[in-house]
Amino acid sequence: MAAIQSADIRVSFRGPILAAGTVSRVISPVLLGLGGLLHAVALDADSAPQEESYAHDRTTSAFPAAKQLDAGIFQAKINSFALRLAAEGKAAKTIRTYTEAVQWFAAAGLQAGRGGWEQVTSRDIQQWMAWLLGRYSTAYASNQYRALQQFFKWLAAEDQLPDPMAGLAPPRVADKLVPVFTAEELTRLERACAGRSFAQRRDTAVIAVLTATGIRLSELAGLRCGDVDLWQRELTVRGKGRKDRIVKIGHQATRSLDRYLRARSRHVQAWRPQLWLGAGNREPLTAAGIYQMITRRGRQAGVAAFPHRFRHHFSHTWLDRGGPEGDLMELAGWTSPQMLRRYGASARSARARRTYDRIMTDT
C-alpha cells in the first residue's frame, strides 16, 4: 500500500495505477512536486463539466448512450499525458477535464478493433465530433475537441506518430452574450439577502464581493479568512495556474464583509480557515454550494443570477466608466487580451453610444 498526500488531497492506491479495465472512477498521479514528491488528483466522472440537454434521441446513436471512461488498453498513454500536463503546471481541474475527454473518446468513440493510438484516424475524430454535436452544445463539443487536440499533439511528439487531428478545425462557436445586471436587479438581489441572520449576512457579503470584484467562482470559494484585509480593502485570491493576485473592494463590500465576519466569529465552525461557512453551524461552503445560494437568491429577487454574470457585469462597469483595459486584465486575472472582447460584450454597443455622445457633443 502506498500513501500519497498533499495539502488538499489524500489518496491511497494499490498496484499499478490505472491498469487496463479500470472503472470510471480512477486515480492518476498528476502532480510532481519538488524533491520528487508525488501528489495525486482524483479523476472523478461525477465532477465532469455540466452536460447540455440532448437534442436527439440517444438510442438512435451508433455510440453508447452512457458516458463511459473505461479506456482499457488506451489508458497508459492517458496517464502519461496527465503527468505531462502536471509537469507544465496545469491546474487539477484542467488536467481532469482534458484526461476525461480523452478517456471518453477512447471508451466510446473508437470503433472496435483498434489496437492502439497509432491506429486512430481523422475519420474517428470526425465521427466522434459529429456525434457530440448532435447531442451537446457547440461550446461543449468545442471543449472536447480542444482537449483531444492537446492530447494528439502531445502523442505525435512523444511517439513520433502522425497527428490525426492535423488539418481538422474545431466546431465554430457563436458568441453567447451574457447580459449585465441593471441597477434595479442588483438592488433586488441586495434586498433578497437583507437581514441580520448568519445566512443573510453571509449572502449579502458574497453578492457584494462578486459585484465589487468580478472574481471567478472558484476564487471566491477558495477565499480564506487570512486573505481578507478590511483596512486596505483588499482580497488575495488564487487564480488559474495557482497564481495569486490582490484585488480591491469598495466600501460597501468592506462593510458587508465586516458584518459577516462578526457573525462568523460566533459560528461553531469559526476555527476553520475557509471564509464562507454554512448556515446552521454547517461546514464551509463549496463552489457548488455558493452557486446554488446565488441562484436561489436570484429566484427570490426575480433576477437571473449566477456567479459568472457578476464577472461580465464587473468588466462592463469598469470599461463603461473609462477604466484602463490593462488594469482590468490585472484585476480579472487574464493573460490574453481576447478576454476583454468576451466579457461585457453584451453592453459593448451601449458603451460605444455613450462614448459617442461624450466625444462628439459639438458636431
Side-chain angles (χ1 to χ4, degrees):
M1 167 75 78
I4 298 175
Q5 295 189 1
S6 72
D8 301 312
I9 302 170
R10 281 191 179 87
V11 177
S12 297
F13 66 90
R14 277 192 188 88
I17 301 173
L18 290 174
T22 186
V23 294
S24 62
R25 186 180 298 272
V26 295
I27 304 297
S28 174
V30 296
L31 296 177
L32 283 175
L34 295 175
L37 294 176
L38 187 63
H39 298 271
V41 167
L43 303 181
D44 189 347
D46 296 332
S47 58
Q50 184 65 38
E51 298 171 1
E52 301 287 341
S53 299
Y54 286 177
H56 303 292
D57 184 358
R58 287 179 167 187
T59 59
T60 63
S61 168
F63 294 110
K67 187 170 184 179
Q68 302 179 34
L69 297 179
D70 183 353
I73 62 172
F74 298 97
Q75 186 63 59
K77 289 291 173 62
I78 300 175
N79 294 351
S80 298
F81 175 56
L83 194 62
R84 172 61 181 271
L85 293 174
E88 293 175 352
K90 294 292 190 296
K93 181 179 178 181
T94 300
I95 297 171
R96 182 178 68 243
T97 300
Y98 279 20
T99 52
E100 257 192 15
V102 183
Q103 284 177 305
W104 192 19
F105 169 66
L110 293 182
Q111 300 298 319
R114 292 285 187 267
W117 287 112
E118 68 279 0
Q119 297 181 14
V120 177
T121 67
S122 296
R123 184 176 178 82
D124 292 322
I125 305 293
Q126 291 171 321
Q127 288 179 334
W128 179 240
M129 295 311 301
W131 183 80
L132 288 174
L133 287 168
R135 288 151 180 81
Y136 299 90
S137 70
T138 54
Y140 184 78
S142 180
N143 287 339
Q144 295 292 304
Y145 177 95
R146 295 182 189 284
L148 290 175
Q149 187 178 49
Q150 291 300 313
F151 172 75
F152 283 110
K153 180 180 178 181
W154 165 82
L155 186 65
E158 181 74 11
D159 289 359
Q160 298 298 303
L161 294 173
D163 184 349
M165 298 189 72
L168 300 182
R172 186 171 299 175
V173 181
D175 289 335
K176 184 178 181 180
L177 298 181
V178 178
V180 298
F181 291 108
T182 65
E184 180 188 1
E185 286 176 326
L186 288 177
T187 298
R188 295 211 306 266
L189 274 176
E190 292 170 6
R191 289 174 180 168
C193 301
R196 303 177 64 87
S197 71
F198 175 84
Q200 290 167 330
R201 294 292 200 200
R202 181 202 62 198
D203 297 354
T204 296
V206 167
I207 297 295
V209 168
L210 283 175
T211 304
T213 65
I215 58 177
R216 302 177 178 94
L217 174 60
S218 59
E219 295 170 343
L220 180 74
L223 285 174
R224 296 175 174 246
C225 292
D227 298 328
V228 180
D229 188 334
L230 294 178
W231 286 98
Q232 297 298 321
R233 293 187 290 111
E234 293 177 346
L235 303 176
T236 301
V237 300
R238 281 154 211 83
K240 290 185 176 181
R242 306 181 192 91
K243 295 179 181 178
D244 289 1
R245 71 181 188 281
I246 297 175
V247 299
K248 295 288 291 187
I249 55 176
H251 293 286
Q252 180 179 345
T254 302
R255 286 194 298 271
S256 297
L257 268 174
D258 179 50
R259 289 169 179 166
Y260 166 64
L261 287 172
R262 280 186 272 127
R264 186 188 183 283
S265 67
R266 300 186 294 272
H267 196 285
V268 170
Q269 304 284 338
W271 57 273
R272 292 183 179 273
Q274 291 90 341
L275 179 60
W276 309 113
L277 300 178
N281 290 323
R282 290 194 291 271
E283 296 182 352
L285 287 180
T286 63
I290 293 175
Y291 188 100
Q292 292 169 3
M293 179 275 290
I294 291 173
T295 56
R296 183 177 68 253
R297 291 298 190 185
R299 288 194 299 271
Q300 293 172 356
V303 176
F306 49 92
H308 212 61
R309 189 178 177 186
F310 288 91
R311 193 160 173 82
H312 284 267
H313 180 82
F314 175 79
S315 301
H316 159 69
T317 303
W318 181 272
L319 295 172
D320 190 47
R321 295 177 180 177
E325 292 184 347
D327 291 345
L328 176 58
M329 289 183 62
E330 176 66 26
L331 292 171
W334 295 327
T335 57
S336 170
Q338 292 180 348
M339 306 305 288
L340 291 169
R341 294 191 292 272
R342 178 183 303 177
Y343 285 85
S346 62
R348 185 182 297 130
S349 177
R351 290 198 302 270
R353 292 193 299 273
R354 280 194 291 272
T355 301
Y356 179 92
D357 289 337
R358 186 176 68 251
I359 294 175
M360 306 297 289
T361 302
D362 298 327
T363 61

